């Protein structure tokens, strides 16, 4: 072996070591590289009385091979979740299913996944990505929802349009996960100050809890919407609203990212609330985590805080 090769090897070893170290850190956020890692994390979630939301990492996919592999992965995952009796659902990103290539390609792949979800009786969330995909994502959702009611879509309180989107979605009985929004957006279309994003979240929460769900009240435990935030003030406000709302405690859920606010998750379960944990996995964990951290300084704060607490 020549010196260059040896240097090459030590460089690779260093890289692998760093990657392994980083993976150890990020394991708070992501389950691991393989489906099996995600299923183990989901099981441990279920043991704690929480539901699991499994997401195969990846976004902005433009290679057809990768897009097909992602679609197959979700189809296999649904089968495994059923076989392993996981109490949970999946959450998919349209841009990982081909939306960056064409709407039709994404719709075709989403349809295959929904076929699997129907077969195995699993709920499907459609994540919301940056504002360039909002219209397409809502359209994909509305098309899919007419086929399969056990499907939900995400709205971001950071976007100025979200109140009107929510009104429309509520009219058709859609299921919505409310988040603040993980993407940096332009001030013309988005609230950029944290207090404004929070105020809009409160307004949207009021709309969700104020909606009349009387048709299903007490009849089933079907999910109507999700409150996905780690923000104590917003969670307290949602709890307050839930006390006077016309929906049952099991008709909405609190959703958290894996590894964050584990104590609060436990407390909410003990109080009888429905709690779900979002568990990402897959070989894209490194770019995913780096992007998440780069996108918003608050995400770095979130990771640091949960690491210190653990
Ligand atoms: C289940 C789930 C699904 C999501 N899906 C999407 C999606 O599809 N699209 C999208 O754009 N975004 C999504 N997000 C991300 C979301 O938009 C936010 O970027 C992310 O949740 C951070 O905002 P936050 O409201 O949780 O809290 P932040 O505004 O980051 O923090 C609010 C407050 O929470 C408290 N807090 C945070 N972490 C801790 C901690 N470890 N310990 C104690 N207190 C803490 C602190 O008081 C902090 O000030 C999702 C989030 C979750 C939880």
């Amino acid at each position: 072996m020549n010196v260059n090769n040896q240097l090459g090897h030590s460089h690779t070893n260093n890289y692998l070591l760093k990657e392994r170290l980083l993976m150890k850190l990020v394991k708070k956020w992501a389950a691991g590289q393989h489906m099996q890692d995600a299923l183990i994390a989901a099981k441990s979630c279920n043991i704690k009385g929480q539901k699991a939301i499994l997401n195969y990492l990846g976004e902005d996919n433009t290679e057809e091979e990768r897009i097909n592999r992602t679609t197959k992965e979700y189809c296999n995952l649904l089968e495994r979740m059923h076989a392993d009796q996981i109490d949970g659902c999946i959450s998919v990103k349209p841009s990982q299913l081909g939306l960056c290539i064409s709407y039709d390609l994404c719709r075709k792949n989403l349809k295959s996944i929904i076929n699997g979800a129907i077969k195995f009786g699993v709920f499907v969330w459609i994540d919301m990505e940056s504002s360039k995909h909002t219209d397409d994502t809502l359209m994909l959702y509305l098309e899919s929802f007419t086929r399969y009611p056990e499907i939900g879509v995400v709205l971001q309180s950071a976007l100025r349009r979200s109140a009107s989107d929510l009104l429309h979605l509520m009219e058709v009985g859609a299921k919505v996960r409310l988040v603040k929004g993980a993407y940096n957006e332009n001030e013309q279309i988005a609230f950029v100050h944290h207090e404004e994003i929070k105020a809009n979240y409160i307004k949207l929460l009021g709309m969700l809890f104020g909606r009349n769900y009387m048709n299903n009240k007490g009849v089933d435990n079907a999910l109507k919407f999700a409150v996905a935030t780690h923000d104590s003030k917003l969670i307290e406000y949602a709890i307050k609203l839930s006390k006077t709302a016309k929906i049952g405690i099991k008709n909405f859920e609190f959703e958290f990212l894996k590894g964050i606010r584990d104590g609060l998750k436990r407390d909410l379960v003990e109080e009888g609330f429905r709690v779900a944990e979002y568990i990402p996995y897959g070989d894209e964990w490194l770019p995913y985590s780096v992007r998440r951290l780069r996108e918003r300084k608050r995400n770095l704060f979130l990771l640091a805080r949960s690491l210190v607490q653990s």
Side-chain angles (χ1 to χ4, degrees):
M1 187 186 289
N2 67 30
V3 177
N4 279 344
N5 263 349
Q6 277 176 4
L7 281 175
H9 272 291
S10 84
H11 184 73
T12 312
N13 284 343
N14 266 342
Y15 179 78
L16 285 177
L17 193 68
K18 274 187 201 151
E19 187 170 314
R20 238 177 279 148
L21 257 173
L22 203 59
M23 180 67 198
K24 238 182 166 173
L25 279 180
V26 174
K27 263 225 153 183
K28 286 239 20 121
W29 265 4
Q33 270 174 281
H34 309 289
M35 188 185 295
Q36 190 57 26
D37 299 322
L39 292 166
I40 290 169
K43 261 281 173 237
S44 105
C45 219
N46 290 170
I47 289 166
K48 290 182 265 181
Q50 299 162 21
K51 290 171 189 294
I53 306 169
L54 298 185
N55 166 258
Y56 180 60
L57 285 166
E59 53 197 300
D60 296 336
N61 288 345
T62 49
E63 289 161 32
E64 223 160 300
E65 190 273 330
R66 171 108 204 139
I67 292 165
N68 291 339
R69 190 149 41 92
T70 301
T71 306
K72 272 203 198 113
E73 177 79 16
Y74 277 119
C75 293
N76 294 338
L77 177 62
L78 288 163
E79 196 171 347
R80 285 294 309 278
M81 286 172 76
H82 178 74
D84 291 5
Q85 298 182 312
I86 299 293
D87 182 9
C89 58
I90 59 166
S91 212
V92 304
K93 288 191 172 15
S95 82
Q96 67 178 166
L97 301 177
L99 188 59
C100 299
I101 296 182
S102 80
Y103 181 86
D104 288 344
L105 176 65
C106 181
R107 182 174 56 179
K108 179 178 100 94
N109 290 329
L110 184 61
K111 199 171 170 188
S112 313
I113 293 170
I114 290 173
N115 286 343
I118 293 171
K119 185 172 170 195
F120 297 110
V122 179
F123 191 95
V124 178
W125 282 111
I126 303 183
D127 283 353
M128 188 58 80
E129 299 172 84
S130 75
S131 61
K132 68 174 189 265
H133 295 309
T134 310
D135 282 332
D136 282 345
T137 302
L138 291 176
M139 210 142 73
L140 282 165
Y141 173 73
L142 290 169
E143 275 191 61
S144 313
F145 184 63
T146 54
R147 279 187 66 223
Y148 183 48
E150 290 305 290
I151 174 162
V153 70
V154 178
L155 284 186
Q156 300 153 328
S157 70
L159 291 194
R160 295 180 189 274
R161 59 179 284 172
S162 288
S164 90
D165 286 337
L166 183 55
L167 265 184
H168 179 58
L169 287 169
M170 289 195 311
E171 268 168 29
V172 297
K175 298 166 193 241
V176 171
R177 173 201 294 155
L178 186 58
V179 302
K180 283 184 185 165
Y183 301 85
N184 279 331
E185 301 285 359
N186 186 312
E187 199 161 356
Q188 272 157 355
I189 58 155
F191 300 108
V192 290
H193 301 294
H194 192 239
E195 285 314 311
E196 290 178 310
I197 296 172
K198 214 162 152 166
N200 199 36
Y201 199 106
I202 286 171
K203 174 178 163 183
L204 300 172
L205 266 186
M207 289 168 71
L208 284 166
F209 277 103
R211 170 176 162 192
N212 191 346
Y213 300 90
M214 290 301 274
N215 289 347
N216 288 323
K217 199 201 166 196
V219 175
D220 56 29
N221 273 343
L223 181 73
K224 306 288 188 291
F225 64 90
V227 178
T229 176
H230 308 101
D231 194 321
S232 298
K233 289 263 156 54
L234 295 177
I235 292 168
E236 278 161 24
Y237 186 64
I239 292 174
K240 194 171 142 208
L241 290 177
S242 76
K243 305 238 160 93
T244 49
K246 292 189 179 116
I247 60 159
I249 198 168
K250 293 292 173 196
N251 290 142
F252 73 95
E253 72 186 13
F254 289 106
E255 295 184 353
F256 298 87
L257 298 179
K258 177 178 162 18
I260 294 172
R261 309 228 59 187
D262 290 340
L264 179 61
K265 287 172 198 160
R266 214 173 26 240
D267 293 346
L268 288 169
V269 170
E270 271 172 21
E271 285 169 46
F273 289 103
R274 183 168 157 157
V275 173
E277 187 173 74
Y278 188 101
I279 303 170
Y281 78 97
D283 52 13
E284 290 271 311
W285 64 269
L286 185 57
Y288 165 83
S289 309
V290 172
R291 222 171 310 148
R292 283 291 82 78
L293 293 175
R294 275 204 190 127
E295 258 163 17
R296 266 181 107 219
K297 278 197 202 109
R298 290 195 72 81
N299 287 348
L300 184 58
F301 163 75
L302 239 151
L303 177 64
R305 189 161 175 179
S306 58
L307 284 172
V308 168
Q309 280 178 345
S310 63

